Amino acid sequence: MRVGVLTGGGDCPGLNAVIRAIVRKGVQEYGYEFTGFRDGWRGPLEGIGVPLDIPAVRGILPRGGTILGSSRTNPFTADNGVRRIKENLAKYEIEALIAIGGEDTLGAAARLVDEHGVPCVGVPKTIDNDLSATDYTFGFDTAVGIATEAIDRLHTTAESHMRVLVVEVMGRHAGWIALHSGLAGGANVILIPEQRFDLDQVCAWVTSRFQATYAPIVVVAEGAMPRDGDAVLKDGTLDSYGHVRLSGVGEWLAKEIERRTGKEARTTVLGHVQRGGTPSAFDRWLATRFGLHAIDAVRDGDWGRMVALRGTDIVRVPISEATARLKTVDPALYAEVGVFFG
């Protein structure tokens, strides 16, 4: 059997670990051959494939990013996208395709299986940790660690100048990175997309912190929104899946805090630094296990399924179930950390 592998969507620490595990087990135990498709769905759309064998995946476990490249290409918005994918899979003699990605990449895979009979298996990937049906996605732990380290460092410079520091983190419409890194880093305010924030309350917490002779750290997720108003965006452009480009709320929030409290405020936007670099030990472990179980699903012909973490077990769930809704922060969980605000 020849198996195709692609990595789609945003880059993510741990992608290479998945690729390595798939190829190592597939070659050594099942005798499969592999083709890696370049740049997400663009690879099978345009017929851009490269051989994947054991020498090709040596040494990539600790590397960030993906050796196959990635993109946000949507095969269902391309001209004759499904037909082109089928033709190119046939050209490379691909009998199964493993799609590694988030809600968009896997959503496309689900449609290809359900509507067009393309044999696909999914692996969940996103630093946002917002895919339902799995407890965690790889990349999330690394992103939280990077954000936490940044918050730790910002505490000292904030206190040296007695200014407000606003830290904007990624996560799109889920507040997992903000919640975990904000709590771990000792932030005084954490703002998430799941709960609109009251700007007056934020300023009250900031003022309270100064009264205790400490400089406040405010962690805000890029998708967080004020109670009275809409999302703050850099621009209104959309990607091929119809998603707007987030980011900008941190700068807006710092200006509002400074205007309302009279305290100097600065913004740090962590941005893509959260995606890059060496994956954490947990993300290498999880990504490797996902890869091992994904190639087992191929062996079993279990198409339309995604590997997922449940407790410490790797299970298989329908891709359509995993992409049906976002996994967002429970209000009760967010309420737990409120004791540290202000």
Side-chain angles (χ1 to χ4, degrees), residues 160-179:
S160 294
H161 294 274
M162 290 304 289
R163 60 167 58 128
V164 185
L165 281 182
V166 176
V167 185
E168 183 185 298
V169 299
M170 284 182 163
R172 294 201 60 79
H173 303 296
W176 295 108
I177 295 176
L179 184 71

Side-chain angles (χ1 to χ4, degrees), residues 36-229:
F37 286 106
R38 294 287 307 173
D39 304 331
W41 287 114
R42 190 169 74 87
L45 269 173
E46 300 182 9
I48 310 171
V50 295
L52 274 181
D53 54 18
I54 289 179
V57 300
R58 286 196 179 117
I60 68 173
L61 177 64
R63 286 176 56 182
T66 164
I67 61 170
L68 295 178
S70 191
S71 73
R72 297 191 185 277
T73 302
N74 184 348
F76 289 96
T77 60
D79 291 338
N80 300 310
V82 173
R83 178 182 60 78
R84 290 161 59 192
I85 286 176
K86 285 187 171 183
E87 288 175 352
N88 285 318
L89 292 180
K91 183 180 76 171
Y92 282 95
E93 301 180 335
I94 301 298
E95 298 173 63
L97 185 63
I98 299 177
I100 310 166
E103 58 169 325
D104 296 323
T105 300
L106 295 181
R111 288 187 63 184
L112 285 170
V113 175
D114 296 340
E115 300 173 16
H116 304 283
V118 177
C120 292
V121 167
V123 176
K125 167 248 38 152
T126 170
I127 66 168
D128 303 334
N129 199 40
D130 60 358
L131 275 175
S132 61
T134 184
D135 290 350
Y136 287 98
T137 54
F138 66 87
F140 171 67
D141 185 72
T142 303
V144 168
I146 292 168
T148 301
E149 181 181 355
I151 294 166
D152 287 345
R153 292 176 179 274
L154 290 169
H155 273 291
T156 57
T157 185
E159 291 173 7
S160 294
H161 294 274
M162 290 304 289
R163 60 167 58 128
V164 185
L165 281 182
V166 176
V167 185
E168 183 185 298
V169 299
M170 284 182 163
R172 294 201 60 79
H173 303 296
W176 295 108
I177 295 176
L179 184 71
H180 282 241
S181 64
L183 183 60
N188 311 110
V189 181
I190 302 170
L191 306 176
I192 62 174
E194 292 86 344
Q195 187 163 321
R196 287 176 175 259
F197 61 86
D198 183 335
L199 193 51
D200 289 334
Q201 179 62 75
V202 172
C203 291
W205 283 326
V206 165
T207 301
S208 173
R209 182 69 173 177
F210 278 116
Q211 289 172 348
T213 68
Y214 289 98
I217 300 288
V218 178
V219 174
V220 57
E222 61 184 357
M225 293 184 288
R227 180 174 298 171
D228 302 315

